[in-house]
Amino acid sequence: FFHLPRMAFFGLTALGAQNPFSSIAKSHAILNIFTLDEFREGWDAVAKGKEEIEIRQVEAVLHVVYHGPAPEPELILFMNKFGADRTTPITWSEFATCYEELVAKIEADEKSLSGRLGSAATYTSYDELCKAKDKGIKLECGPKETLVAPLTAVQEFGWNAHESVEKRTIHGKKSCPETIYASELYKSGMYF
């Protein structure tokens, strides 16, 4: 079994994610591309020698590790694990245990989805898609329920229902020769 080394740098580039189909899935998390040592460096930068941090500082630790704002799914994972309304400080050992549990869960989820394009995929083959289309089977949920952002330019239109849509009224030409001829035919009682 061939296993690629973790490539945290290559997963976070200005050019976008390595797999755009799975990277915009709501359930996608890239927490497992970082090592525990990288999180320790982020912890040390935020904690400044202390062994405890407040719950609000978890976002700052992730900011250091990700070299910028952490993706929302990762932040939510940590906040759900610790409890967003937590009042007691978090120790490094507790944070490390949380990280290891989250990575184990992410890797288990990836194994369960190994035959699919990503967790946002509905079909595993073109034939399966064609059969569902021919039978008229509707999807259980649409792209807005499975993706955090539109994947294609066509999906961008109407993604946010609250955006106002500008209505355009299209008027035909009134003075071209064909329109004048058709108007005269209509006036004379000839309908086409």
Side-chain angles (χ1 to χ4, degrees):
F1 180 73
F2 179 70
H3 182 68
L4 291 173
R6 294 182 179 186
M7 298 186 294
F9 173 76
F10 295 106
L12 301 171
T13 65
L15 299 175
Q18 292 172 346
N19 184 350
F21 296 102
S22 65
S23 67
I24 65 168
K26 284 189 175 180
S27 60
H28 179 71
I30 57 172
L31 182 69
N32 58 336
I33 65 173
F34 297 104
T35 64
L36 189 59
D37 294 333
E38 290 172 304
F39 275 96
R40 182 61 197 208
E41 290 172 13
W43 177 278
D44 291 340
V46 172
K48 297 183 179 31
K50 297 179 185 174
E51 280 298 312
E52 296 178 339
I53 62 169
E54 300 294 322
I55 187 70
R56 60 184 168 74
Q57 292 176 302
V58 170
E59 187 173 0
V61 172
L62 294 176
H63 192 277
V64 172
V65 172
Y66 283 88
H67 302 285
E72 192 175 335
E74 278 74 7
L75 185 58
I76 290 171
L77 284 173
F78 275 102
M79 290 302 176
N80 288 343
K81 195 74 171 168
F82 290 125
D85 56 347
R86 181 182 175 136
T87 56
T88 59
I90 301 167
T91 63
W92 166 248
S93 60
E94 190 178 2
F95 188 88
T97 303
C98 175
Y99 163 78
E100 289 168 354
E101 289 173 0
L102 290 174
V103 167
K105 182 184 180 306
I106 290 168
E107 288 174 352
D109 289 346
E110 285 177 356
K111 283 181 184 175
S112 70
L113 296 170
S114 62
R116 301 180 75 151
L117 292 173
S119 57
T122 306
Y123 303 105
T124 56
S125 70
Y126 178 71
D127 292 335
E128 189 180 334
L129 170 70
C130 289
K131 286 178 187 174
K133 183 179 171 189
D134 291 342
K135 291 181 180 180
I137 298 172
K138 293 187 177 186
L139 298 176
E140 293 175 14
C141 54
K144 193 148 182 170
E145 286 81 30
T146 57
L147 305 173
V148 293
L151 184 60
T152 63
V154 173
Q155 289 177 343
E156 288 177 8
F157 183 76
W159 188 264
N160 296 321
H162 64 275
E163 291 178 357
S164 63
V165 177
E166 183 180 315
K167 284 196 168 190
R168 292 180 18 192
T169 306
I170 300 172
H171 301 285
K173 292 183 181 179
K174 294 182 180 178
S175 61
C176 72
E178 292 83 7
T179 306
I180 293 170
Y181 179 73
S183 176
E184 292 300 320
L185 280 175
Y186 186 79
K187 286 178 187 174
S188 67
M190 295 210 39
Y191 306 107
F192 28 156

